[in-house]
Amino acid sequence: MTSHNFALTFDYRCPYARIGHDHVVTALRAGADWDVTFLPFSLGQAHVEEGQPDVWDAPENDSGLLALQVGIAVRDNWPDAFLDVHQALFDFRHLQAGNLKDRDALGGILSAHGLDAIAVFDEVDSGRPLKTIKEEHTSFVGSHNVWGVPTFVVGDRAVFVRLLQTADGDAGLATATVERVLDQVEWPLLNEFKHTSIPR
């Protein structure tokens, strides 16, 4: 297994981001030798039309920004809990059809993973996580033309990747899948490779 440094974008609303992050989180839990930056990306901001206000100006109106702020608050202040909370937020949205704007439900997830939900929301309400999301989102859009999730960012290259199934707890599969993706990122001749129908 090769040591890798890479970033990976996420917005908890995207099912393909959940799949990609499931592989990465499963492999990291099993000891993968990767230095991963989990990079917040707002799908709401990505779809703002020219001349319209940014989602940062009214985050309460965006369906995904509260959960994204919770994730970044945990990433930056309670890093030991991040992988568990990160995966739980994805599962809440995609396995339980949860509402990512529901503070009580998000607080329950935090508490279930040993965190003080009040302390996390105090951090969210400070505005620091939103500022971080804006800065990181804007930075990688500018430097790497990132436009969606999940995007793997390796050095000066960025590749949007859509995987079709989770690792389902299989660390070997997860590690091999991510390593294969990272190998392809290093092959600049391949720009697009897409099945015309979903393989069975």
Side-chain angles (χ1 to χ4, degrees), residues 38-166:
F38 292 92
L39 184 67
F41 183 89
S42 170
L43 290 172
Q45 179 62 25
H47 291 94
V48 169
E49 296 183 7
E50 187 173 353
Q52 296 301 307
D54 291 336
V55 295
W56 330 119
D57 298 333
E60 66 280 0
N61 294 333
D62 185 86
S63 64
L65 263 181
L66 179 60
L68 205 56
Q69 290 174 84
V70 167
I72 292 306
V74 175
R75 184 198 73 176
D76 291 350
N77 296 276
W78 297 272
D80 290 346
F82 175 71
L83 292 183
D84 289 341
V85 170
H86 186 58
Q87 189 161 49
L89 288 170
F90 271 121
D91 290 348
F92 172 66
R93 174 65 186 90
H94 299 284
L95 298 184
Q96 302 165 35
N99 177 1
L100 294 173
K101 295 178 71 172
D102 185 337
R103 287 175 75 108
D104 289 340
L106 299 181
I109 291 170
L110 294 167
S111 298
H113 291 90
L115 293 177
D116 181 342
I118 293 175
V120 175
F121 278 112
D122 282 347
E123 177 64 16
V124 168
D125 294 337
S126 77
R128 286 185 291 268
L130 181 63
K131 182 174 183 286
T132 297
I133 293 166
K134 177 181 177 180
E135 290 174 350
E136 295 187 10
H137 173 109
T138 303
S139 174
F140 277 83
V141 168
S143 64
H144 289 75
N145 295 310
V146 172
W147 47 263
V149 297
T151 297
F152 286 78
V153 180
V154 183
D156 61 356
R157 297 191 176 115
V159 179
F160 173 80
V161 177
R162 181 174 285 178
L163 301 171
L164 296 181
Q165 66 182 46
T166 63

